[in-house]
Amino acid sequence: VGVRVFESSDATGGRVRSDRVEGFTLDRGFAVFLTAYPESRAAFDYDGLDLHPFCPGAMVQTGPGASNRFLVADPLRLPSATLDTIAFPLASAADKLRLVLAIVSLKLSSLEDIFSRPDVPTRILLEQRWGLSDALIDGFFRPFFGGIFLSPLEGQSSVLFEFVLRMFTDGAAALPAGGLGA
């Protein structure tokens, strides 16, 4: 089967592209490689990519100064972030409990189950199904997943949101040594 690729830029890759500038590798756009993607596991040589994982959490700035900076992470994967995660002010104790229960349920679901769920806007999932507060949704989920999907929560698929969240919780967010275009 013959294939012809047309690219308007100076090289192929689109959003998944790395440029080499003065000895540095620069990836275009907001992108990380999620090691848990099933198709990626089958298609890529992870050892050959020389993956460099990020810390399994997110640094969240809730106001000016270092005292308003929190490393929010899964305490089982990053025990050193437990106190910051507990102290994170955008989530009440009830929010934290609901989120833990939602993530445990998500991790116990098969990918087939996730993709067969009724699809609603992600905002509806977080607010009505998971019972999370506006403070947590708008202070964490909106900016974080808005950057991933390049769309507001109201325009995001809850099914894809749950799939991507599951990939974050099952594996690492990483970059190949040669950049995402490697």
Side-chain angles (χ1 to χ4, degrees):
V1 174
V3 175
R4 190 175 290 190
V5 176
F6 295 92
E7 174 65 49
S8 65
S9 186
D10 59 341
T12 59
R15 278 190 61 192
V16 183
R17 179 173 166 186
S18 301
D19 295 312
R20 311 278 185 263
V21 178
E22 297 178 12
F24 293 94
T25 301
L26 307 173
D27 286 319
R28 294 187 180 200
F30 173 83
V32 293
F33 181 77
L34 298 179
T35 61
Y37 282 141
E39 293 298 320
S40 298
R41 285 185 192 163
F44 299 124
D45 172 13
Y46 281 17
D47 291 333
L49 288 174
D50 189 16
L51 295 171
H52 295 265
F54 288 95
C55 163
M59 186 66 69
V60 182
Q61 187 79 32
T62 61
S67 64
N68 291 307
R69 188 174 305 130
F70 299 87
L71 177 57
V72 180
D74 176 350
L76 298 176
R77 293 175 64 193
L78 191 65
S80 63
T82 301
L83 293 178
D84 257 12
T85 302
I86 290 170
F88 182 55
L90 294 181
S92 67
D95 272 334
K96 292 169 188 164
L97 178 60
R98 288 183 188 112
L99 185 56
V100 165
L101 293 173
I103 290 173
V104 167
S105 174
L106 189 61
K107 289 182 74 63
L108 292 173
S109 300
S110 70
L111 294 181
E112 293 77 21
D113 288 342
I114 292 170
F115 281 105
S116 67
R117 292 180 180 159
D119 200 12
V120 297
T122 297
R123 174 73 192 214
I124 299 296
L125 171 83
L126 296 172
E127 190 175 69
Q128 296 178 13
R129 292 187 186 167
W130 290 10
L132 302 179
S133 70
D134 288 342
L136 179 56
I137 293 169
D138 293 331
F140 178 75
F141 287 99
R142 180 175 302 285
F144 188 78
F145 282 92
I148 291 171
F149 288 108
L150 301 177
S151 172
L153 295 175
E154 294 79 7
Q156 293 174 21
S157 158
S158 62
V159 170
L160 290 179
F161 166 84
E162 287 189 302
F163 172 71
V164 170
L165 182 58
R166 170 74 181 270
M167 296 300 100
F168 271 110
T169 63
D170 281 357
L175 285 177
L180 281 172

